[in-house]
């Protein structure tokens, strides 16, 4: 009886062990095992997050692109897709496999020839080569046909290896993301770095990160870096109430930041084209003094959605108005009031002046005539305070400004429904190292996209 209990106990333990193994390995992420430890850049694509964010079922996703059903059924879309690159310019994509036969069938659509070798399926076309087993697939490219055979041993090694620690993968913010990316900034072309980043920027240990997320009523792409940008002439936006009284209410588009002109001017002079323009402008107006006087919130806006003849308005907080002292000596400038002027610059009239402690510059005569009339405007009503950058474009105003667009939308009610659900595009920076670009909707994203896909598929 005692032996029977022991045997029964052992069998139960074995069954529990088998069940536990099956549970934790029933749908494991085998593509992750392929990533090389020396990867310098990694991107992770989450098909499940995409499908869920868009309100799509897998079978419908395959019908969106013609003849892609086999690929969608062949790949395990419940698991991530990885892309990577190494220091040796070896780059590839790793996917989890669900059905090898359907995946091989799909490969023929991309001109892949296939063969079986050492228990693996190999596919190749003119610029890439792939290796497939029952769980995963590794595609390497671009690589010329004559160089492909030399890569087989390395690819086999990655397919067989146990999971490695990949330091760059740990730098990703994958929480709730549909797509995430991390790459070293020292891989950027030097001419790009010299043109757009501050001089002597240290990129040795700097990384660029990006992520795409689907929210309830937004699709947001965020990006950031680990570069030290503390020397930039930007500070958190204060939300200056007085500045709001100078700018128009409910602008079609705007961008807001807080800037120190004393720090900005030397940076502008480093750009050849801007330096030339500043020299030319200073012959007419004390532009250098004007820029140096800017210290605080700045807003550049398009009051109305007129894309053919856009009126642009810049309003800025000033620390002083010393540049007005020589106003009587300015050439090609006409005085319109005590601190209001108009100048002709390359055939365009530019209106500018000072109201209270705020500078305004605009190319629109109607905009200039309304400066300061919007007494009820309040900067604090805009989502700008404490951010380093805030920008917005009102989609509804854009659609409403063009009767032709409205006429076309009335013909196709489904399109009208999708367009009406779009709210605005926003760009924000909560710090000097991060930025978010977001499409915001009035209805849930799943509903908006679902209606659009229904229109495309005609069902």
């Amino acid at each position: 009886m005692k032996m029977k209990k022991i045997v029964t106990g052992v069998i139960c333990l074995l069954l529990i062990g088998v069940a536990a193994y099956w549970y934790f390995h029933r749908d494991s992420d085998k593509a992750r095992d392929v990533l090389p430890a020396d990867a310098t850049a990694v991107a992770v694509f989450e098909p499940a997050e995409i499908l869920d964010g868009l309100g799509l079922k897998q079978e419908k996703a395959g019908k969106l692109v013609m003849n892609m059903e086999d690929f969608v059924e062949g790949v395990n879309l419940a698991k991530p897709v990885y892309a990577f690159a190494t220091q040796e310019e070896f780059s590839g994509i790793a996917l989890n496999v669900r059905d090898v036969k359907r995946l091989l069938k799909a490969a023929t659509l991309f001109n892949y020839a296939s063969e079986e070798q050492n228990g693996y399926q190999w596919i190749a076309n003119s610029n890439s080569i792939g290796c497939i087993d029952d769980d995963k697939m590794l595609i390497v490219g671009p690589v010329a046909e004559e160089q492909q055979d030399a890569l087989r041993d390395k690819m086999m090694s990655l397919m067989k290896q146990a999971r490695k620690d990949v330091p760059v993968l740990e730098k990703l913010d994958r929480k709730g993301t549909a797509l995430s990316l991390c790459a070293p900034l020292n891989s950027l072309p030097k001419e790009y770095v010299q043109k757009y980043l501050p001089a002597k920027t240290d990129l040795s240990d700097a990384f660029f990160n990006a992520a795409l997320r689907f929210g309830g009523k937004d699709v947001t792409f965020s990006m950031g870096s680990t570069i030290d940008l503390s020397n930039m002439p930007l500070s958190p936006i204060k939300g200056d109430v007085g500045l709001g009284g100078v700018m128009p209410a409910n602008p079609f588009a705007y961008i807001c930041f807080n800037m120190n002109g004393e720090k900005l001017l030397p940076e502008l002079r480093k750009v050849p084209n801007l330096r030339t323009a500043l020299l030319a402008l200073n012959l007419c107006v004390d532009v250098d003094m004007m820029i140096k006087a800017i210290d605080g919130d700045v807003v550049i806006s398009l009051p109305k959605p007129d894309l053919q003849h856009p009126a642009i308005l810049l309003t800025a907080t000033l620390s002083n108005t010393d540049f007005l002292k020589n106003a009587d000596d300015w050439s090609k400038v006409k005085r319109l009031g005590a601190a209001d002027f108009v100048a002709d610059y390359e055939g365009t009239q530019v209106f500018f002046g000072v109201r209270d402690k705020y500078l305004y510059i605009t190319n629109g005569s109607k905009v200039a005539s309304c400066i300061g009339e919007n007494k009820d405007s309040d900067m604090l009503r805009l989502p700008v305070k404490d951010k380093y950058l805030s920008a917005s474009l009102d989609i509804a105003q854009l659609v409403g400004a063009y009767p032709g667009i409205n006429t076309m939308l009335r013909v196709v009610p489904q399109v009208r429904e999708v367009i009406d659900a779009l709210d605005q595009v926003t760009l924000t920076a909560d710090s000097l190292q991060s930025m978010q670009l977001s499409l915001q909707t009035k209805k849930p994203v799943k509903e908006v996209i679902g209606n659009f896909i229904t229109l495309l598929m005609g069902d």
Side-chain angles (χ1 to χ4, degrees), residues 95-330:
L95 307 94
N96 287 277
V97 172
R98 186 165 69 167
D99 188 324
V100 175
K101 289 184 179 179
R102 298 202 69 169
L103 197 56
L104 290 173
K105 185 178 178 182
T108 61
L109 295 174
F110 301 95
N111 299 317
Y112 280 101
S114 63
E115 63 172 339
E116 185 176 354
Q117 189 179 102
N118 298 323
Y120 290 89
Q121 292 288 343
W122 290 85
I123 58 174
N125 62 14
S126 60
N127 57 22
S128 60
I129 181 171
C131 185
I132 308 171
D133 66 15
D134 291 337
D135 301 308
K136 56 192 176 296
M137 174 171 69
L138 172 62
I139 298 286
V140 173
V143 56
E145 288 182 273
E146 60 271 18
Q147 299 174 324
Q148 291 176 5
D149 284 343
L151 294 174
R152 291 190 181 229
D153 286 344
K154 186 168 186 175
M155 293 175 66
M156 284 280 290
S157 177
L158 291 175
M159 290 288 285
K160 292 179 178 180
Q161 74 177 9
R163 181 169 298 191
K164 304 288 185 182
D165 288 334
V166 183
V168 70
L169 185 64
E170 303 305 316
K171 297 180 184 292
L172 291 179
D173 176 14
R174 294 177 59 182
K175 186 177 180 180
T177 63
L179 173 67
S180 53
L181 164 71
C182 183
L185 280 171
N186 58 12
S187 63
L188 294 175
K190 290 184 178 180
E191 60 272 17
Y192 178 90
V193 174
Q194 293 170 350
K195 186 174 182 180
Y196 295 104
L197 293 178
K200 299 181 180 179
T201 300
D202 182 12
L203 300 180
S204 56
D205 295 315
F207 282 84
F208 170 79
N209 289 279
L212 178 69
R213 289 180 172 86
F214 287 85
K217 291 185 178 181
D218 70 274
V219 180
T220 300
F221 180 73
S222 58
M223 53 203 131
S225 74
T226 56
I227 299 177
D228 180 11
L229 298 174
S230 58
N231 60 339
M232 293 284 284
L234 295 175
S235 299
I237 300 168
K238 296 177 180 178
D240 195 312
V241 177
L243 182 61
V246 181
M247 60 181 285
N250 193 29
F252 156 62
Y254 71 85
I255 180 170
C256 179
F257 46 91
N258 184 293
M259 184 183 72
N260 181 280
E262 288 274 4
K263 294 181 180 179
L264 176 67
L265 187 58
E267 298 300 323
L268 294 179
R269 288 172 175 165
K270 292 176 183 177
V271 182
N273 290 342
L274 290 177
R275 183 172 62 249
T276 301
L278 287 172
L279 288 171
L281 288 170
N282 274 292
L283 296 175
C284 305
V285 181
D286 294 316
V287 172
D288 282 1
M289 290 181 66
M290 187 184 296
I291 294 174
K292 288 181 180 181
I294 296 174
D295 188 15
D297 291 349
V298 178
V299 180
I300 302 173
S301 62
L302 275 69
K304 301 295 181 183
D306 185 349
L307 301 184
Q308 290 184 320
H309 307 287
I312 302 173
L313 171 65
L314 180 147
T315 50
T317 307
L318 297 172
S319 61
N320 65 76
T321 57
D322 293 346
F323 61 91
L324 293 178
K325 293 178 180 179
N326 300 319
D328 291 335
D329 299 327
W330 290 343

